Amino acid sequence: MKKIGIIGTGYVGLVSGAGISDFGHKVICADIDKEKIKEIKKGNILIFEPGLKEIIDRNVKSQRLSFSSNIENTIKQSDILFIAVGTPESASGKADLTYVENAALKIAHNLNSYKIICTKSTVPVGTGKKIKEIINKNKPSAVLFDYVSNPEFLREGSAVKDFLWPDRVLIGCENNKTYESMLDVYRPLFRNKKPIIKTDIATAEMVKYASNAFLALKISYINEIANLSEALGCDIKKVADLMGQDGRISPKFLHPGPGYGGSCFPKDTKALSNLAKQENIPLETVNAAIKANIYQKKRMFSKLKALLKNRVKGKTIAILGLSFKPNTSDIRESSAIEIIKSILKEGGIVKAFDPISNNEMKLIFPDIKYFSDWEKTVDNADCMVIMTEWNEFRSLDLKELKNRLKKPIIFDTRNIFDQNKLLELGFSFDTVGRKKIINY
Ligand code: NAD
């Protein structure tokens, strides 16, 4: 059993801490946000993630998992420290490393014995070297440490499953002893035959950015093909499905929609692009993905406006889904934000509902009306827009929807409804990459 300290108990820190304690280690999840730690200690984990509450409760009960806002003590009591603080986008588009550097400094000042210091945050190539320098400059000279880059690949919405059953775990480090210690942390995965791969530090850092940028690129690509399919009268659902049957392409991340969002793809693509600029290396594919995504988000409002025959002012629009994807409460960079902003700017009225993230969106739009079910949200609205493909929206009763709306008009940005059914019921509708029907 290892003693593990997690510095930063956000999305990644909380899931990682819970997962590592489930592997049998003793974990303290620490955060500078005292309120957050207070709430988590009370049992309010603040984020919605399937299975997370259960795994936390189980490990807290067995005293393997605890929470603290005392960063100094957490550092002193741990053998291995994971840095899992945020690396948001800075004004220039580069990754803002302030939180990571502060965490490194805090670790250095409290390094009371040999430890492994491991970065889980997504950081640009070269950050490991910088963190090592900060720690070396500020630690007591007699105390040694080893450094690891261990990027995290979990996806929000399936974070617990992804953490416990990853495709691979990367251990970017400089010697076998460190790798062996990290293998001990992830031992249960090793037994489950999940590959735990040793690389150098810079390679591990690059794999994370390269993977996120590739997925963002795939989404932007299918979005652009969807837009072209619309213009040429093809059905993107069939196009994407048949493309995905090619093993070299795979059906994953081939779902057109309102543009990617979330806390990772937007900032990581920009950080990688900035890194390339710094090195004077063209990275035109990634730049194109970023540009295409900005366009896609804006395009959603133009399509809505066209569906409403350019009359948005005074219209009541019901928005179903606010989180950037289903099964998460995270609304960071959600496409719903962009479309709501545009509707309000043009004098439209928004009624909104998300199964989980109404409260998060209230912080951005305190003045729009929020509802606790789809039925009340669509009542008497001029139009309904699907922004997030929550399962409960996939199965909503279209006849009832038609009766509740003032006018049967739908904008399905996630292509979740059967177009034939919509036609049969006399809806006017638009989608992303399929035929538009306006019959009112
Ligand atoms: P987050 O904003 O949810 O959490 C970061 C936490 O760190 C916050 O609670 C903050 O209070 C805390 N913090 C900041 N400075 C601190 C310090 N000095 N000491 C202790 N705590 C401190 O961020 P997140 O979504 O968990 O992301 C963390 C990192 O992991 C980022 O680099 C992100 O890119 C990466 N990542 C995120 C995901 C994801 O899906 N969210 C997936 C993989 C990787």
Side-chain angles (χ1 to χ4, degrees):
M1 186 196 71
K2 302 259 184 209
K3 285 193 224 149
I4 310 278
I6 310 275
I7 309 300
T9 304
Y11 225 107
V12 165
L14 187 57
V15 174
S16 305
I20 293 171
S21 65
D22 215 48
F23 295 159
H25 305 291
K26 192 136 183 140
V27 178
I28 307 173
C29 283
D31 203 287
I32 45 171
D33 185 339
K34 292 196 168 98
E35 274 309 303
K36 185 180 263 190
I37 293 296
K38 214 157 113 196
E39 285 302 314
I40 297 176
K41 276 184 171 171
K42 277 195 274 179
N44 175 13
I45 63 168
L46 303 169
I47 54 173
F48 173 78
E49 190 61 49
L52 184 57
K53 177 91 175 91
E54 291 80 346
I55 189 176
I56 288 174
D57 288 348
R58 181 165 74 233
N59 287 288
V60 167
K61 203 167 159 206
S62 60
Q63 296 187 336
R64 280 195 298 263
L65 179 61
S66 60
F67 300 94
S68 173
S69 47
N70 189 332
I71 312 288
E72 291 84 352
N73 273 350
T74 303
I75 295 168
K76 286 178 184 156
Q77 286 172 32
S78 304
D79 306 320
I80 300 180
L81 288 158
F82 284 88
I83 298 175
V85 300
T87 47
E89 186 184 327
S90 67
S92 66
K94 286 185 187 168
D96 177 357
L97 295 176
T98 315
Y99 301 103
V100 169
E101 288 170 4
N102 286 345
L105 200 59
K106 196 67 150 199
I107 290 171
H109 288 153
N110 293 282
L111 205 69
N112 58 339
S113 58
Y114 169 82
K115 298 178 199 301
I116 290 177
I117 295 152
C118 174
T119 299
K120 258 208 178 299
S121 301
T122 303
V123 292
V125 180
T127 306
K129 205 167 146 220
K130 226 184 262 170
I131 294 176
K132 276 173 56 191
E133 277 165 19
I134 293 174
I135 298 175
N136 271 320
K137 224 187 259 173
N138 293 284
K139 72 176 180 62
S141 54
V143 189
L144 299 178
F145 73 97
D146 277 299
Y147 182 79
V148 173
S149 166
N150 173 218
E152 183 50 58
F153 295 95
L154 62 79
R155 292 162 299 174
E156 292 187 12
S158 56
V160 172
K161 188 173 142 272
D162 290 345
F163 191 86
L164 298 178
W165 296 92
D167 290 332
R168 77 306 201 194
V169 174
L170 294 193
I171 309 292
C173 63
E174 295 171 311
N175 58 57
N176 276 334
K177 187 185 102 202
T178 312
Y179 176 61
E180 288 296 326
S181 294
M182 294 303 292
L183 276 186
D184 283 342
V185 174
Y186 287 107
R187 190 69 65 189
L189 300 181
F190 194 57
R191 277 193 222 112
N192 290 337
K193 304 211 168 17
K194 294 290 168 191
I196 302 177
I197 301 145
K198 179 172 178 285
T199 68
D200 60 79
I201 293 166
T203 300
E205 290 171 337
M206 179 54 114
V207 174
K208 175 64 192 177
Y209 272 112
S211 303
N212 271 6
F214 181 77
L215 295 172
L217 217 146
K218 202 170 171 188
I219 295 173
S220 275
Y221 178 76
I222 201 64
N223 281 341
E224 287 201 315
I225 295 296
N227 299 343
L228 186 60
S229 295
E230 264 172 34
L232 298 175
C234 323
D235 183 336
I236 191 64
K237 268 207 122 153
K238 288 188 185 129
V239 173
D241 179 36
L242 293 167
M243 281 171 67
Q245 287 183 27
D246 184 327
R248 295 168 301 175
I249 296 174
S250 119
K252 290 184 180 163
F253 285 78
L254 269 193
H255 304 287
Y260 59 76
S263 68
C264 293
F265 290 178
K267 78 169 173 65
D268 292 348
T269 42
K270 283 184 217 160
L272 187 62
S273 165
N274 266 284
L275 204 57
K277 214 187 278 169
Q278 220 169 281
E279 296 298 318
N280 241 334
I281 301 289
L283 204 62
E284 295 308 338
T285 48
V286 176
N287 293 338
I290 296 168
K291 216 167 139 194
N293 198 54
I294 293 168
Y295 172 77
Q296 192 69 4
K297 286 188 173 180
K298 288 199 190 315
R299 183 177 158 84
M300 293 305 107
F301 179 65
S302 317
K303 282 166 73 67
L304 173 65
K305 202 169 162 180
L307 188 60
L308 294 172
K309 299 188 173 163
N310 284 327
R311 289 191 286 268
V312 177
K313 197 165 180 212
K315 291 271 160 62
T316 300
I317 294 153
I319 304 280
L320 297 195
L322 303 172
S323 54
F324 84 96
K325 67 172 178 179
N327 293 322
T328 175
S329 51
D330 204 335
I331 57 156
R332 289 179 278 186
E333 302 274 343
S334 168
S335 301
I337 297 172
E338 181 93 24
I339 203 164
I340 292 174
K341 237 186 232 165
S342 304
I343 295 169
L344 296 177
K345 202 169 157 206
E346 293 241 347
I349 300 149
V350 173
K351 296 173 85 183
F353 165 60
D354 187 279
I356 300 293
S357 59
N358 279 355
N359 284 339
E360 280 76 1
M361 202 54 110
K362 274 181 197 163
L363 298 175
I364 299 182
F365 299 110
D367 298 329
I368 64 176
K369 283 211 168 122
Y370 295 87
F371 295 83
S372 53
D373 56 49
W374 72 264
E375 290 92 337
K376 287 191 202 82
T377 318
V378 303
D379 268 345
N380 226 15
D382 292 286
C383 170
M384 185 270 270
V385 183
I386 294 282
M387 288 306 295
T388 319
E389 68 278 32
W390 285 90
N391 268 343
E392 67 177 87
F393 300 155
R394 289 179 188 278
S395 55
L396 59 79
D397 183 336
L398 292 174
K399 262 193 203 152
E400 188 181 345
L401 173 66
K402 189 180 173 194
N403 290 337
R404 286 179 178 269
L405 283 166
K406 199 191 288 173
K407 280 194 191 137
I409 306 174
I410 293 181
F411 181 22
D412 177 8
T413 71
R414 301 286 184 172
N415 295 341
I416 61 172
F417 295 128
D418 179 337
Q419 284 192 306
N420 292 329
K421 266 200 196 130
L422 293 178
L423 264 176
E424 226 172 77
L425 289 167
F427 278 97
S428 290
F429 58 88
D430 197 6
T431 62
V432 174
R434 310 174 83 192
K435 205 157 63 191
K436 171 164 73 179
I437 303 286
I438 302 188
N439 56 12
Y440 70 96

